Amino acid sequence: MLSTTGAPESEPLDVSGKAGPPVSIRGLLHAFGDLLALDGIDLEVPGAGVLGIVGPSGCGKSTLLEVASGLLEPSAGRVSVGEAADAPSRTPAGERLARCALMPQRDLLLPWLAAIDNAALGPSLAGASREAARERARADFNRLGLGGFELAKPQELSGGMRQRVAFLRTLISGKQVLLLDEPFASLDAITRAETQAWLAGVLAQDSHTVLLVTHDVEEALYLSDRVAVLTARPARVAATLDVPEPRSPDRAAAVTAADFVELRERALRLLAGGAR
Amino acid sequence: MSARARDVAAPALLFVALIGLWEVAAQTGVLADVLLTEQGAGGGGDAEFLVPAPSDIADALWNDRDLLAEDAWVTLREVVLGFALALVSGLALAVLIHLSKTTRRAVYPLLVASQTIPIVVLAPILVVWFGFGIFPKLLIIALICFFPITVNAYDGLRSVDPDLLKMMRTLGAGRGQTLRRAELPWALPFIFSGAKIAVAVAVIGAVFAEWAGADSGLGHLILVSSGELSTSLTFAAIVVLSAIAICLFALLALVERRVVTWKEGPSS
Ligand SMILES: Nc1ncnc2c1ncn2[C@@H]1O[C@H](COP(=O)(O)OP(=O)(O)OP(=O)(O)O)[C@@H](O)[C@H]1O
Ligand SMILES: [Mg+2]
C-alpha cells in the first residue's frame, strides 16, 4: 500500500478536547399531510454531548432525525445546529446538511461498491482518490471486526456487518454532528456490547455531537449523557433523564450499577406511558 | 452442470425435432402440396423454390458462403453502428429528461410519437434525402433502437430508492455525483434490458433500411434472391440474420452478467 499522507480531508476533524457544535431544537412540529408526527419537541444538546432518544415504534424518531439533518424542513419550529449556544438562530436546511451526518435506519449500502468503498463514500464524494478514501476507512474497518471483508460486496455481508459499514460511512464523512438512527439494531448481543464500548471510546476522545435514536433503553443510557423519552405519536418529550457521571469504563460494570439500573427502570416506565 | 445440460438439452431437442419434421415434409413434397392447394394451384411438382428443405438451406449456406459473409459483414456493421448511435443518444436523452422536467414535458410525447411512424414508409424517404450510403441506414436502425433504450433507461433512473437519494444528499453529493454514483449504476439493469430489446429489433431495422435502397447487405440479398426465386438462398440469409441478432443479444447478456453483479437495489 502506498503512503497516503496528503490525502485530501474534506474537513479537518477536530481533535479531542475541543467542543463540538451544539444542537438546539425548539417547538418542533412536523406533519405529513394530516398525520402529525412531531408535536412540539424541545431538545438541547450541548457541543460534544450525546443525547439518546427513545420512544415507541412509529412515534416519529426517524422523522426527528431527518428534520435535524436538513433533509426535511419542519412544519413549524426552529432547528439550530452549530450556532452560538447562548442565542441559537435557525440553521437553514443546506447548512444543516453540511454539518450533520445521518446514519439512516436502513443501511442503504450501494450494492455495486465494495464494503470499504461504501464506508469511504463521504471522502470519495468530497474528492479524495479511491486509495486515499479507503485509507480513511481501513483502521476502523479492522476495529469493527470487518477486517478481511474490505472488498466484499454488501450482498455478501451479514445484516450486522452491513450496519457497521453504514455506521463507518457516517463516522468517516467528517461531519461534526452525528445523527444515528438505531445504529446497532441488527447486531447480536455480544457484538452489540462490543460495538457500544467501541463507540463510547470514539465519542469520549472525539468532539462529535450525537443524537442517538434507539429502541434499546440500556444502549441509550450507556452511550448518552442525557436521554429523551418520547411519547407515542405524535411525539412529545415525556421526560429527559440525566445519566449520572462518571460511568465505569467497563461496560458490564456500568450497566449493572445501582443508579444505572434504577434509571433504566424509570425510562422503561416512561415508555410504557406511566408516571415518572 | 447437469442442470445446465438439461437447460440446453430441452430446447436443442425441440429444435432438432422441428427441423427434422420440416426436412421430411419438404422432401416428400407435403409442404409444397399444402401451400399450392392453399393458392388454388393444384398439387404436385418440384417445389424446392417454394419451400426449401433444411438440407437445401444448409447447402446454400455452404455454397454461397462468400456472398453471405460479405453481405453479413455489411449488415453487421450497419447494425452495430446504428445500435451504438441509438445507445449514446438514447442514454443522453434519458438523462436529459430525467434531470429536467421541462425537457421531459416537451420531449416525451414526441418520443412516443416517433414510434408511430411506420419505418417502412420512412425508410425510402430517408434514402431520397440522404442517398444510398450507410447514413440513412444508421438513422433507421437508430430510430428503431432508440425507443426501448431511452424508455428503459429513464424508468431505471427514476426508480431509484428515494432513501438512497437522501443518503447521497446527507453525504454532500451534488446533482452530477448523485447521477454518476447512484442513479446510473442503479439504472444499469434497466439499461441492459432496453439494449437487449433494441439489438434484437435492430436487425429488422437493417432489413427495412436495405430494402429501401442498398446494393449490399443481407436485406438486399433477401430481396434479390427471393425475386430470383432462389428461395434456399433467401432462407440462408435469414438464418445468418438471426444468427447475428442472437450473437449480439448473447454478447450483451454476457456483458450484463459481468457488470451487474448485484440482484436487487440497496436492501433494508
Ligand atoms: N414520508 C412520509 N410520508 C408520510 N408519512 C410518514 C413519512 N415518514 C414517516 N411517516 C409517518 O410518520 C410517523 C413517524 O414515522 P417515523 O419513521 O419517524 O417513526 P419512528 O419513530 O422512526 O419509528 P420506528 O421506531 O419504527 O423506526 C409514522 O406514523 C409514519 O407512518
Ligand atoms: Mg425510525
Side-chain angles (χ1 to χ4, degrees):
Chain A
M1 209 57 47
L2 295 171
S3 153
T4 55
T5 46
E9 307 222 337
S10 51
E11 249 168 67
L13 269 173
D14 264 354
V15 246
S16 56
K18 274 188 132 188
V23 174
S24 162
I25 292 171
R26 276 294 157 80
L28 185 66
L29 214 112
H30 192 75
F32 295 102
D34 287 340
L35 185 130
L36 187 59
L38 304 174
D39 185 16
I41 304 274
D42 295 306
L43 291 172
E44 297 291 333
V45 194
V50 181
L51 176 75
I53 300 170
V54 294
S57 183
C59 74
K61 304 181 293 295
S62 297
T63 307
L64 176 60
L65 289 197
E66 279 201 11
V67 170
S69 74
L71 283 175
L72 267 182
E73 272 302 12
S75 310
R78 192 207 65 206
V79 182
S80 30
V81 174
E83 311 289 351
D86 38 352
S89 57
R90 200 184 146 274
T91 312
E95 278 300 307
R96 302 209 297 277
L97 273 173
R99 292 172 191 173
C100 299
L102 173 68
M103 176 181 174
Q105 197 164 2
R106 298 168 54 206
D107 59 56
L108 297 172
L109 299 181
L110 302 178
W112 47 85
L113 290 186
I116 194 159
D117 294 324
N118 265 294
L121 192 56
S124 166
L125 286 171
S129 74
R130 185 157 93 168
E131 256 328 299
R134 283 183 172 184
E135 205 49 48
R136 291 276 298 275
R138 213 177 298 271
D140 288 329
F141 232 72
N142 286 325
R143 262 188 292 171
L144 278 179
L146 294 166
F149 286 92
E150 283 83 356
L151 298 182
K153 288 284 159 62
Q155 312 78 284
E156 298 157 14
L157 301 179
S158 74
M161 295 166 93
R162 296 174 60 114
Q163 221 168 25
R164 278 172 278 170
V165 173
F167 176 73
L168 269 187
R169 179 181 63 198
T170 314
L171 190 67
I172 295 173
S173 67
K175 310 289 179 65
Q176 291 284 68
V177 179
L178 301 183
L179 309 171
L180 310 177
D181 200 347
E182 312 222 359
F184 309 129
S186 44
L187 299 191
D188 65 276
I190 293 172
T191 317
R192 192 182 175 109
E194 281 171 12
T195 312
Q196 285 171 3
W198 174 80
L199 179 61
V202 170
L203 296 181
Q205 38 168 288
D206 254 330
S207 54
H208 285 120
T209 306
V210 181
L211 272 67
L212 169 72
V213 164
T214 168
H215 59 244
D216 180 344
V217 172
E218 186 176 289
E219 176 172 287
L221 291 170
Y222 171 64
L223 286 171
S224 317
D225 309 320
R226 300 167 84 200
V227 173
V229 182
L230 303 185
T231 64
R233 187 175 60 82
R236 279 184 224 99
V237 180
T240 314
L241 309 174
D242 282 305
V243 183
E245 295 279 350
R247 265 162 295 175
S248 161
D250 175 32
R251 185 182 179 280
V255 299
T256 46
D259 52 353
F260 190 96
V261 172
E262 190 200 325
L263 207 56
R264 190 178 69 198
E265 292 310 313
R266 212 175 122 199
L268 286 172
R269 271 201 307 280
L270 280 164
L271 270 179
R276 343 187 137 196
Chain B
M1 201 60 211
S2 83
R4 198 185 164 131
R6 235 179 302 137
D7 279 354
V8 179
L13 272 178
L14 181 64
F15 185 72
V16 169
L18 285 175
I19 294 283
L21 211 63
W22 178 0
E23 180 77 37
V24 171
Q27 294 287 358
T28 55
V30 172
L31 221 50
D33 283 350
V34 172
L35 288 176
L36 290 175
T37 317
E38 281 289 308
Q39 293 179 0
D46 171 37
E48 193 211 309
F49 69 89
L50 206 57
V51 193
S55 54
D56 298 328
I57 300 172
D59 278 349
L61 275 173
W62 180 250
N63 294 334
D64 294 317
R65 58 187 180 280
D66 291 340
L67 180 66
L68 283 166
E70 214 173 283
D71 284 323
W73 171 244
V74 171
T75 302
L76 180 66
R77 213 168 65 115
E78 290 165 3
V79 166
V80 169
L81 290 177
F83 172 77
L85 182 66
L87 192 64
V88 171
S89 53
L91 286 183
L93 189 69
V95 167
L96 206 67
I97 60 180
H98 174 62
L99 291 182
S100 151
K101 214 172 185 169
T102 323
T103 321
R104 176 161 66 247
R105 290 226 181 89
V107 171
Y108 213 75
L110 285 182
L111 187 69
V112 177
S114 77
Q115 288 309 295
T116 62
I117 305 171
I119 294 288
V120 200
V121 175
L122 190 66
I125 299 175
L126 287 178
V127 170
V128 169
W129 288 351
F130 298 109
F132 277 65
I134 195 174
F135 183 65
K137 298 176 183 68
L138 298 193
L139 274 188
I140 289 162
I141 295 169
L143 202 70
I144 279 196
C145 293
F146 177 77
F147 189 69
I149 291 176
T150 309
V151 170
N152 274 283
Y154 172 58
D155 279 348
L157 288 171
R158 71 195 176 128
S159 73
V160 177
D161 185 342
D163 284 345
L164 192 71
L165 298 179
K166 282 186 190 169
M167 187 273 291
M168 294 296 286
R169 265 175 76 200
T170 64
L171 288 180
R175 193 67 196 86
Q177 283 182 317
T178 303
L179 181 70
R180 255 181 304 123
R181 309 286 296 268
E183 290 170 313
L184 278 175
W186 178 285
L188 265 181
F190 294 77
I191 293 171
F192 272 107
S193 294
K196 284 191 290 187
I197 297 172
V199 89
V201 295
V203 177
I204 300 174
V207 170
F208 281 142
E210 288 175 9
W211 282 3
D215 47 20
S216 58
L218 289 172
H220 175 255
L221 183 62
I222 289 172
L223 201 62
V224 172
S225 61
S226 62
E228 292 170 350
L229 297 184
S230 331
T231 322
S232 299
L233 186 55
T234 309
F235 273 72
I238 294 172
V239 169
V240 176
L241 206 58
S242 303
I244 288 179
I246 292 171
C247 286
L248 291 176
F249 187 93
L251 190 69
L252 274 179
L254 194 76
V255 175
E256 179 181 20
R257 269 235 303 278
R258 280 292 169 86
V259 175
V260 183
T261 50
W262 61 95
K263 280 260 159 49
E264 15 68 85
S267 73
S268 53

